[in-house]
Amino acid sequence: MSRVRSAALSGLLAVSLLGLAACGSDSSDSEEAGASLSSVTITGDQGKAPKVTFDGPLDGSKTESEVLIEGDGEEVASGDTVEAQWWIGNGFTEEETQSTWGEDGKGKPQSLEVGDEVLPFLTDTMVGKKVGDRVVLMTPSDKAFGEGGGARFNIGNRDAALIIVDIMGRKDTVPPLDGPKGEEKKPASWAPTLIEKDGVITGLDFSTAHKPSGKLIATTLVRGDGPVVKSGQTLTVNYLGQVYDADKPFDESYSKEPAEFPIGVGSVIKGWDERLVGRTVGSRVILEIPPADGYGEEGNEGAGIKGTDTLFFVVDILGAS
């Protein structure tokens, strides 16, 4: 029986890999065979940073793998988009070289498409496994990272890489909609009218709209029948923005490609964060955004927006991932 040990399954934890620093290590030039995977002790709950104890340098010529903690989620296939966390160690120096959990253990999972050849070890540890699994892999550096790739993780080509992967979640990849999809609704009387040409929105008509209220308000033109938008997701939208009573929009995507951006995390103006989270994919809405929830007192000179301008947007929510 393997001496590799682990603790019981625990709750999921969310993380991001970007910007992680690796620790320095040297490579072994010895041809002497090292220890097997069973010499390593691994403890900790799935979803939390593992504690790894080596009992001598590992064999850099063999590949061994084991599922330490079994999950009960969906099986992962090549091409799936998943969220995962991982720990990487140098099997010769017996040192950690990288961890998505970071030094404080609070890092967030990395979202990735399984099958990406940039990091082959992710495919080796995840295809055929289940969400909730913790998998450990001992393998030669070039097999884990591609030829010469171990240098990025301070692991020499003759050294074993020890890798622990927690499969945190699987995302269903749904292509964005082509346009609004759902139940049409009568907009509020305060809203401007859409100006369209050949079915494409080109502007807003304020002739029957009220004067700016000074409040952040929204009205629904189509209530989408898709999933609810959550904070932290990446939205795909078409939109048009126009200053109140202006003759033309200051920005729009209907004549271009849909825009993508994180929502609810401060990446866009406050009015978008507050009024798009909680809506459903497929929705079309009109937003009235006062300066405080838009570009503030400074406005946006590049877009011709003054600090006193109220902004109106029509937004089609085409996707959320």
Side-chain angles (χ1 to χ4, degrees):
M1 178 180 295
S2 171
R3 289 176 53 209
V4 178
R5 300 192 296 274
S6 61
L9 177 67
S10 72
L12 300 184
L13 187 70
V15 193
S16 165
L17 171 68
L18 301 178
L20 292 178
C23 303
S25 64
D26 298 319
S27 175
S28 167
D29 291 326
S30 172
E31 297 295 335
E32 182 179 349
S36 66
L37 178 59
S38 63
S39 69
V40 182
T41 299
I42 300 168
T43 58
D45 295 344
Q46 203 269 5
K48 295 184 179 179
K51 181 178 180 181
V52 181
T53 305
F54 292 87
D55 187 17
L58 298 179
D59 190 337
S61 65
K62 296 181 180 179
T63 296
E64 297 181 49
S65 182
E66 183 177 343
V67 177
L68 300 180
I69 298 173
E70 293 188 2
D72 57 4
E74 296 178 289
E75 185 172 303
V76 176
S78 181
D80 285 348
T81 299
V82 301
E83 288 190 338
Q85 299 205 156
W86 55 84
W87 182 98
I88 300 173
N90 186 316
F92 172 68
T93 65
E94 304 176 34
E95 295 178 346
E96 174 188 317
T97 64
Q98 189 184 78
S99 171
T100 60
W101 284 277
E103 293 182 1
D104 61 1
K106 296 181 180 180
K108 296 183 179 180
Q110 175 73 8
S111 181
L112 56 107
E113 182 176 329
V114 179
D116 185 350
E117 293 303 317
V118 174
L119 296 175
F121 75 83
L122 292 171
T123 298
D124 295 341
T125 54
M126 289 196 285
V127 171
K129 304 302 191 298
K130 294 181 179 179
V131 172
D133 281 356
R134 166 168 283 183
V135 185
V136 60
L137 172 69
M138 181 190 82
T139 192
S141 173
D142 58 347
K143 289 187 177 181
F145 312 113
E147 187 174 355
R152 289 177 293 163
F153 302 93
N154 288 349
I155 302 177
N157 289 334
R158 295 185 181 184
D159 296 340
L162 183 72
I163 300 161
I164 302 160
V165 177
D166 284 2
I167 305 174
M168 307 301 295
R170 176 177 173 272
K171 295 182 177 181
D172 293 323
T173 304
V174 179
L177 300 172
D178 293 329
K181 182 176 180 292
E183 179 186 3
E184 292 192 10
K185 307 290 289 184
K186 183 178 180 180
S189 59
W190 57 261
T193 304
L194 302 183
I195 301 172
E196 299 184 55
K197 182 178 181 181
D198 299 327
V200 177
I201 298 174
T202 59
L204 300 173
D205 178 359
F206 295 96
S207 59
T208 59
H210 74 178
K211 293 183 178 180
S213 65
K215 299 179 181 179
L216 175 61
I217 54 177
T219 185
T220 300
L221 283 68
V222 177
R223 179 174 293 165
D225 54 16
V228 174
V229 173
K230 298 178 182 179
S231 181
Q233 288 187 306
T234 296
L235 289 193
T236 302
V237 306
N238 265 328
Y239 69 94
L240 180 144
Q242 194 164 329
V243 172
Y244 173 73
D245 227 11
D247 294 330
K248 60 182 181 179
F250 58 81
D251 193 16
E252 57 86 24
S253 68
Y254 289 99
S255 65
K256 311 166 192 174
E257 293 292 326
E260 292 187 352
F261 51 84
I263 194 68
V265 294
S267 294
V268 292
I269 58 175
K270 183 179 178 181
W272 279 43
D273 275 344
E274 293 199 3
R275 286 296 181 264
L276 296 184
V277 170
R279 298 193 180 274
T280 50
V281 173
S283 293
R284 170 174 284 176
V285 297
I286 291 179
L287 309 178
E288 178 182 329
I289 303 179
D293 296 307
Y295 293 101
E297 294 179 357
E298 294 183 359
N300 185 325
E301 184 177 354
I305 298 171
K306 300 189 296 295
T308 55
D309 285 339
T310 294
L311 312 179
F312 284 77
F313 285 93
V314 53
V315 182
D316 294 347
I317 304 175
L318 307 177
S321 61

